[in-house]
Amino acid sequence: CNLCGAIFTAGAPEGVNKQREYDVTVPSMIALLKYGCGFPFNRLAGLQGNLGIPLPASTQYGILSPVKNMFDPILAELIRQAACGELVHNDDTTNRILSMMGKRAQQQEPPEDGTTDPAQKKASERRGIFTTGIVSVFEGHRIVLFFTGKKHAGENLADLLARRAEGLKPPIQMCDALSRNRPGEFETILANCLAHARRRFVEVTNLFRNECRYVLESLEVIYKNDSIARQRELSPEERLEFHQTQSGPTMDKLHAWLTRQFEDRLVEPNSALGECITYLLKHWPKLTLFLRKAGAPLDNNICERALKKAIRHRKNSLFYRNQNGADTGDLFMSLIHTCELCGANPFDYINELQRHAQELASNPADWMPWNYRQTLDGAGASPEPTR
């Protein structure tokens, strides 16, 4: 009232939760559109305006920020379980955080000289910014984690393996042949991506049609055998035996053919084809780990597909404003893509985590994407999944 200054507040409609300004489905939908589908905040604000329900970009982030803090226990549990995985894929892609670039970076305080971790000190001096994608297979569940900052994929993997439980055997690590993907002092059973090697020959097929055709047809046999193994649902040991029997002779013939190209001087080592052959021969033991180790994959495609979420966000939203925004994006991308790989509904999952924030804070292991429905059913408090 302009006369007396009294404030009159409208009562909330019937059925509205007075403890929350927004329903739990609001941050879930914003997270899915922004970090699952690549909708920038401004574009989503325009859509909301056209629908007659204004939702500015700053408001959208303000809605997601407290939810991100609420989900920190879930992320910590995912990291703990991923660190104990039997198989880990890792790779990275470039990204942008404005506060770490250009004049903004120069205005920030320099890192403390007392840093004892050489990797941390090296990363702080690095100018490049990356998003690392890690896909870990733990007890049959695939866990996806994203980390955005100045660390390379190998440094982020080292941080993850530092949390690995004592007494566990070294995991199989699948990545491309870049040295920055290796986790430093932590031991892994290294496998390299066969798809990367194959792609090199695809790129020069128009110049060396017959030679590349032989290599590509040989690798086609390997992938076909792996597809048969999946269709038959073979165990890792049965798959290993199947590849040794069906794929081993083909790979032996391919190795002999590759070696002969240089020994008989059929291919110039410095040519485009020679570089492709050199790459295969140099990394042959790691490219053929699937013939010696049960559970070793052929390629790193699952991690490459996971990184497309970060690439799509970079293409549409262009950048993160600061590290906190990058951490928020990493968390929601990790949850959403882990749900997709586990067959869970990410929208329903994020809704239920908000409804049971106290329970997940006390026991996050019961609220993973693959078991949260069993937890709800056991508690007898499971509403119908949101359609």
Side-chain angles (χ1 to χ4, degrees):
C1 174
N2 288 333
L3 296 177
C4 66
I7 298 176
F8 301 90
T9 304
E14 184 179 355
V16 172
N17 186 350
K18 298 180 181 180
Q19 302 300 320
R20 297 180 61 97
E21 188 175 356
Y22 296 92
D23 187 71
V24 296
T25 59
V26 176
S28 301
M29 184 58 70
I30 294 174
L32 278 175
L33 290 174
K34 167 71 172 176
Y35 301 112
C37 301
F39 253 64
F41 281 145
N42 286 333
R43 192 177 303 174
L44 182 54
L47 173 63
Q48 289 293 132
N50 292 335
L51 296 175
I53 309 175
L55 195 63
S58 58
T59 302
Q60 295 173 46
Y61 186 78
I63 293 173
L64 288 181
S65 185
V67 177
K68 183 261 181 187
N69 298 332
M70 185 190 307
F71 289 176
D72 283 343
I74 289 292
L75 179 61
E77 180 62 20
L78 282 175
I79 292 175
R80 186 193 70 80
Q81 294 195 25
C84 299
E86 306 89 20
L87 166 65
V88 290
H89 300 253
N90 72 315
D91 201 357
D92 57 19
T93 184
T94 58
N95 215 323
R96 305 181 188 95
I97 301 178
L98 290 187
S99 64
M100 297 182 180
M101 299 169 61
K103 294 181 179 180
R104 296 179 181 87
Q106 298 174 3
Q107 294 172 357
Q108 292 183 353
E109 295 182 2
E112 297 181 2
D113 296 333
T115 302
T116 58
D117 186 359
Q120 182 71 29
K121 186 175 182 179
K122 183 178 180 180
S124 65
E125 297 172 351
R126 190 177 293 143
R127 297 181 64 182
I129 300 170
F130 311 89
T131 290
T132 294
I134 297 177
V135 181
S136 176
V137 181
F138 175 65
E139 296 182 351
H141 304 296
R142 291 178 292 185
I143 302 171
V144 186
L145 298 171
F146 294 94
F147 302 97
T148 300
K150 291 189 175 183
K151 290 187 176 182
H152 286 306
E155 295 164 339
N156 283 311
L157 181 59
D159 292 342
L160 182 73
L161 295 180
R163 298 174 171 84
R164 189 173 178 84
E166 295 183 2
L168 293 178
K169 296 180 180 179
I172 300 172
Q173 179 195 355
M174 167 55 72
C175 62
D176 57 45
L178 289 175
S179 60
R180 71 187 192 190
N181 290 332
R182 300 173 188 172
E185 60 184 14
F186 292 94
E187 182 182 0
T188 60
I189 304 173
L190 188 60
N192 283 161
C193 178
L194 200 59
H196 276 76
R198 179 187 180 279
R199 193 176 303 129
R200 290 171 172 265
F201 287 90
V202 172
E203 292 172 353
V204 298
T205 301
N206 60 328
L207 301 177
F208 307 92
R209 185 171 299 275
N210 293 331
E211 294 86 347
C212 292
R213 180 178 180 180
Y214 178 79
V215 175
L216 296 178
E217 288 180 348
S218 299
L219 296 180
E220 180 183 5
V221 174
I222 310 306
Y223 275 91
K224 184 176 181 180
N225 289 336
D226 203 56
S227 177
I228 294 173
R230 287 195 302 271
Q231 293 174 3
R232 295 180 181 178
E233 298 181 353
L234 301 181
S235 67
E237 291 72 20
E238 292 172 337
R239 173 180 173 273
L240 173 61
E241 184 178 355
F242 180 76
H243 269 304
Q244 289 175 339
T245 304
Q246 302 297 326
S247 305
T250 301
M251 294 302 286
D252 291 339
K253 292 179 183 179
L254 176 60
H255 186 271
W257 182 88
L258 294 170
T259 304
R260 189 168 64 251
Q261 302 309 301
F262 287 158
E263 291 180 347
D264 296 347
R265 299 186 178 182
L266 302 176
V267 175
E268 170 60 41
N270 293 328
S271 66
L273 179 60
E275 292 177 356
C276 297
I277 295 175
T278 299
Y279 180 89
L280 260 180
L281 292 175
K282 179 179 179 181
H283 303 289
W284 188 262
K286 303 180 187 69
L287 291 169
T288 58
L289 185 66
F290 67 95
L291 294 174
R292 301 184 302 278
K293 181 68 177 177
L298 298 184
D299 52 47
N300 201 30
N301 287 351
I302 188 173
C303 189
E304 299 282 351
R305 289 192 292 269
L307 280 174
K308 286 184 177 180
K309 285 198 177 295
I311 295 171
R312 182 167 53 192
H313 179 274
R314 182 186 67 205
K315 180 179 179 181
N316 289 285
S317 296
L318 302 181
F319 54 81
Y320 292 109
R321 179 173 294 180
N322 50 44
Q323 184 64 57
N324 188 59
D327 293 342
T328 301
D330 292 340
L331 180 140
F332 282 109
M333 286 186 195
S334 299
L335 293 181
I336 291 170
H337 202 51
T338 299
C339 285
E340 292 173 348
L341 292 185
C342 293
N345 184 328
F347 181 63
D348 181 63
Y349 180 61
I350 297 175
N351 287 341
E352 296 299 344
L353 291 187
Q354 294 176 78
R355 293 188 179 113
H356 301 85
Q358 294 182 353
E359 294 93 324
L360 70 88
S362 59
N363 197 359
D366 290 341
W367 295 92
M368 297 291 100
W370 52 84
N371 66 3
Y372 81 101
R373 273 284 148 199
Q374 290 84 342
T375 301
L376 288 171
D377 293 339
S382 174
E384 289 296 323
T386 305
R387 299 295 182 183

